[in-house]
């Protein structure tokens, strides 16, 4: 049991070292030796967990998306229809708590890497999940045309990514409650519901 805990902790230390360094200099300038020095591990230990810096980033992306997916699944199990969400937009609070718990990693992946790799991956994830949600919970006997579902899912996912990106980069200016409220307005009253 102690070996598993130590292994998990070592991997977490390497990831945290990368997060710390990427706040200080651009990701493209970071070398494996910078990460190992910050994590206080040797190169062999780093390579036991990750093939490269890019593999470390990929692992962070996959871990985060999986965490979000699991949180989202828990919410969907409690929904019977879109009406449930309209009546209780706060139902997304556990999902936002998951994001809040990972806000630092969100900032790194969305804002600090100097590329849009995670944004694209996150958008694809949200698009797929949005399409599934529309199909499952629309409550309409006739199907919403594919083009409309794609456009709606694209607009929604872009808005969500923008909000999370802003929130994660400015955590002192925006709270989880701020994000929950604006998503609730968008979901129940549409994009123009705030006006």
């Amino acid at each position: 049991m102690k070996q598993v805990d130590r292994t998990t902790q070592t991997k977490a230390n390497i990831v945290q070292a990368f997060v710390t360094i990427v706040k200080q200099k651009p990701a493209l300038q970071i070398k494996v030796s910078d990460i190992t020095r910050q994590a206080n591990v040797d190169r062999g230990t780093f390579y036991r967990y990750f093939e490269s810096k890019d593999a470390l980033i990929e692992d962070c992306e996959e871990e985060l998306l999986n965490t979000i997916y699991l949180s989202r699944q828990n919410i969907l199990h409690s929904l019977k229809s879109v009406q449930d969400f309209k009546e209780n937009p706060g139902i997304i609070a556990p999902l936002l708590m998951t994001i809040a718990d990972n806000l630092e990693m969100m900032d790194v992946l969305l804002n600090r890497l100097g590329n849009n790799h995670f944004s694209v991956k996150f958008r694809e994830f949200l698009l797929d999940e949005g399409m599934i949600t529309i199909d499952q919970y629309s409550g309409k006997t006739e199907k919403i045309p594919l083009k409309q579902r794609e456009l709606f899912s694209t607009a929604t996912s872009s808005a969500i990514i923008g909000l999370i990106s802003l929130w994660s980069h400015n955590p002192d200016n925006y709270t989880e409650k701020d994000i929950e409220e604006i998503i609730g307005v968008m979901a129940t009253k549409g994009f123009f519901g705030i006006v």
Side-chain angles (χ1 to χ4, degrees), residues 68-104:
I68 292 168
Y69 174 80
L70 292 174
S71 180
R72 182 185 174 284
Q73 288 303 103
N74 288 335
I75 291 170
L76 291 182
H77 288 303
S78 64
L79 285 178
K80 292 178 183 62
S81 71
V82 172
Q83 191 62 33
D84 290 348
F85 180 76
K86 286 181 180 177
E87 292 170 3
N88 181 19
I91 200 165
I92 64 165
L95 180 59
L96 291 176
M97 187 180 303
T98 297
I99 292 170
D101 290 344
N102 293 281
L103 211 53
E104 185 177 44

Side-chain angles (χ1 to χ4, degrees), residues 23 56 62 74 83 86 99 104 121 130 148 157 160 180 185 190:
K23 291 179 179 180
L56 177 140
E62 292 303 317
N74 288 335
Q83 191 62 33
K86 286 181 180 177
I99 292 170
E104 185 177 44
K121 188 183 275 191
Q148 286 181 348
S157 63
I160 290 169
E180 182 181 336
V185 168

Side-chain angles (χ1 to χ4, degrees), residues 17-114:
F18 174 73
V19 168
T20 300
I21 295 168
V22 83
K23 291 179 179 180
Q24 299 165 3
K25 67 181 184 179
L28 290 174
Q29 294 176 9
I30 297 172
K31 297 179 176 112
V32 169
S33 60
D34 297 326
I35 299 168
T36 59
R37 190 174 9 309
Q38 180 72 30
N40 199 26
V41 298
D42 59 42
R43 289 177 75 84
T45 301
F46 176 90
Y47 288 116
R48 191 175 312 133
Y49 296 96
F50 307 104
E51 292 178 12
S52 64
K53 179 181 73 174
D54 290 339
L56 177 140
I57 294 168
E58 183 75 25
D59 185 75
C60 292
E61 292 173 349
E62 292 303 317
E63 288 278 332
L64 186 54
L65 288 178
N66 188 48
T67 301
I68 292 168
Y69 174 80
L70 292 174
S71 180
R72 182 185 174 284
Q73 288 303 103
N74 288 335
I75 291 170
L76 291 182
H77 288 303
S78 64
L79 285 178
K80 292 178 183 62
S81 71
V82 172
Q83 191 62 33
D84 290 348
F85 180 76
K86 286 181 180 177
E87 292 170 3
N88 181 19
I91 200 165
I92 64 165
L95 180 59
L96 291 176
M97 187 180 303
T98 297
I99 292 170
D101 290 344
N102 293 281
L103 211 53
E104 185 177 44
M105 183 60 72
M106 276 291 191
D107 182 39
V108 166
L109 297 176
L110 286 173
N111 301 315
R112 296 184 184 266
L113 289 182

